[in-house]
Amino acid sequence: MMNRPKLFLATMMIVASNFVASPAFTQNSDWAGRAFGGVPGPSAKAEITIGDIARLRDIGGLRISPDGEYLAFSVRQAVPENNAYVIRWFIARTRGDPDITSVNIDGGQPIPLMLLGQPQAALPDELPVWSPDSKRFAVRRMTGREIGLWVIDVASGRTTMAAEGADEVEHVSWMSPSRLKYTTGLSFERYQALVDVEGRHGWLWDGRIAPSTSRLRPTVPDCTASPDDAACANQTRVFDVTTVTSEPVDPSASDARPTGEATRAPRRADGYSLRLDNVDPRYAGASTPVVRIATDAPGAKKCRSDMCIGARFRSFGWASNGKRAWFVKSTSDLGRDDGAPGDMAGIFEWRLNSGGARKTYSIAGTLDNCQAASEEVFCVEESATRPAAIVAVSLRTGKRRVIANPNPMFERKRYPRIERLILHDASGGPYFAQLVYPTSFDPSKKYPLVITQYNNRGFLRGQVGNEYPIYPMAEAGFFVLSVNWGRPPNDQTKLSIDRLNLDYSLHGREIVWNVIESGLDSAIATGNVDEHRVALTGLSAGAEIVNYVLQRTDRFAAAIASSGAQDATFFALAPEGPLRNRLMNEFNTKVLFDGANAALNDMAWSNKGEKLRTPYLINVGEYEAMLGFEGTQSIIHAGGPLEIRIFPDEQHIKYQPRTYIGIYENNMQWLKFWLKDEVDPSRELAVQYKRWREMARKLRD
């Protein structure tokens, strides 16, 4: 490799350009589409198609400048034709007309989370890092295998590359208004060279090898967790904006501390802070304890209102005068201290001098990434029929205004009837579900039902992982029951208890199945659901619920899962090290192959492959396809109705646009065939339907 400083200077460049001209802002103007140029976006048609869901635009990285004057945020959209994403950064004013402007730089590709050296969902938000004087902000940008660093000047629109990214940029902060500190980690080029050299004598089978993947090769190191790995650069550098130069710096060099509520730090200018205190110290170790917002500020009276208590606080901070605090939490209208089942979100205000509180704003949906500027709270808002948009809510009046809606075409879409259901487990704990009617609903008819489950509290896109497109299924003539159990409620004393281990314990799975079954019974009670044409779907822990249920009942006419399964080799297929140890701890076992482990035995298909009588489709990523392979092969060997589709270069949560289109089409074709006896006449699908008809014939025999 070239010497790192020389490489940096050789590729340094400045792109001097003003922002793209901003159109006159209206709530329904497609400013994001114009910034994306000729990239096809969601359609203007009334119906919601799988293409619309695949191209839905996501807001990421929202941050307010320290002076509270500007918002910086990104918008991301999938482009299935290119199997890529398009990302642009935008700036909007917090006061008056937002005047949204597009930064004149391609945002690159999403920087994915990694699992076992492979991308696990390219969906994390990349946060802009504001300079302490609010004149510029820095963003990371991924192109190919490189993660570089760019600086955007707010006044001029000039974009400057601070680091080209051959050594991936990891952590970014400002030492002063003009000096940007960053650390570098993985050099993929160096990693590949090391792997090639080691491969001459064979790779050592150690914690770098993930047996569950289809490629037994050393995985890409996590340079934060393993900084001494030879593939990690592990340098700390500082980029000077004024001289456009970079040099090494001591990692302990102090950062500038931005001031202002927009930093999200719940600390007043005089140093006093906000905090969350446990309501009952006995439950301090719980994962979702009931807490009360509090402060150490002198003269402040304890907030005794129930509004100041909850188990689902999202964010909080000071109002502009420091005499009031605001906070956002998930709530419900059931009046529980813990806010269960959390199907709503609200913005609240606490007056320190009186100890009183009031609700300023509430929505049946989600409020995320909330920050305040002056007397407004800015959030990314979603509801069942509204994709993510940036809104501002006045703390004084509760009035809401839309700052940036990147999906105006969804304002004109045709939405079906949606009913909210409150479901309960055996102990009375509440959960919520949404029953989505067929778009062209006829009350004189009965329809098939598809159950999606896990956690979908905002726009009804497709549950965890977004693999089950709810509105296109409603367009196709299905009822859809979207059940939310991903965060169980606390106990009936209204105090928090440790989170039920719903992902792994048999008892937890039984609880979830009982909740789902009660929702199913409620849907059937409408008189318009055909109880003989019901399908169950799920991903991750939701997929494990599918496996649990199919092993115990033939109630469903079809099923779909989106993950690998757990079986006898579940622990052994994880790489040796922290991941394997964590999984074994969660199952409370110290034995790699534990014949007495009731949890694994009862969840495994390998000892009950002949029990599957429900047509079962599994859409699984290539790097997870080996999980539970002995169980799925046992089903196939027994002649069971199982079909597995493996998607290339995908992990637990899929991330490629072409994968989503393929999964949507698979799922729609599978559900239509088994629940409606409908087939796609396309010639290329003839072999598929021949295979499915043979599967149906075997089930009848």
Side-chain angles (χ1 to χ4, degrees), residues 306-314 327-348 359 361-367 420 422 432 457 487:
D306 288 345
M307 295 181 188
C308 292
I309 296 174
R312 294 166 169 83
F313 279 81
R314 306 290 296 175
F327 54 93
V328 178
K329 64 177 184 176
S330 297
T331 65
S332 185
D333 56 8
L334 301 186
R336 292 172 54 107
D337 288 350
D338 59 7
D343 55 320
M344 305 175 71
I347 300 175
F348 300 81
K359 183 188 294 183
Y361 180 71
S362 181
I363 181 177
T366 61
L367 295 169
R420 173 201 185 214
I422 297 297
F432 83 96
R457 295 170 186 271
R487 197 173 194 182

Side-chain angles (χ1 to χ4, degrees), residues 36 38-42 50-59 75-88 108-110 122-123 407 461 466 654-661 664:
F36 290 161
V39 175
I50 60 175
D52 293 332
I53 297 298
R55 299 173 192 275
L56 192 70
R57 295 166 182 161
D58 292 295
I59 293 173
V75 176
R76 174 185 65 243
Q77 181 198 303
V79 187
E81 297 86 350
N82 301 332
N83 197 33
Y85 290 85
V86 58
I87 299 175
R88 298 293 296 219
Q109 294 299 297
L123 300 177
N407 294 290
R461 189 170 183 168
N466 294 321
K654 289 80 164 178
Y655 77 101
Q656 299 177 75
R658 70 181 177 193
T659 295
Y660 279 103
I661 292 293
Y664 292 161

Side-chain angles (χ1 to χ4, degrees), residues 2 95 121 142 163 185 293 295 314 365 414 449 457 476 516 544 549 572 640:
M2 295 176 62
R95 306 172 193 266
M142 187 171 83
I293 191 168
T295 182
R314 306 290 296 175
R414 177 178 61 207
L449 170 70
R457 295 170 186 271
I516 292 172
E544 294 304 329
V549 171

Side-chain angles (χ1 to χ4, degrees), residues 25 47 78 81 106 131 186 227 321 366 387 422 469 544 546 557 588 701:
F25 177 80
E47 64 269 25
E81 297 86 350
D106 175 12
S131 64
L186 175 72
N321 60 12
T366 61
I422 297 297
E544 294 304 329
V546 174
N588 194 29
D701 292 345

Side-chain angles (χ1 to χ4, degrees), residues 467-490:
E467 294 196 20
Y468 302 99
I470 292 174
Y471 289 125
M473 288 193 289
E475 284 281 351
F478 295 101
F479 269 93
V480 183
L481 179 66
S482 176
V483 182
N484 296 274
W485 57 267
R487 197 173 194 182
N490 298 313

Side-chain angles (χ1 to χ4, degrees), residues 118-131:
Q118 301 298 330
Q120 176 171 313
L123 300 177
D125 293 338
E126 179 62 23
L127 299 176
V129 183
W130 281 96
S131 64

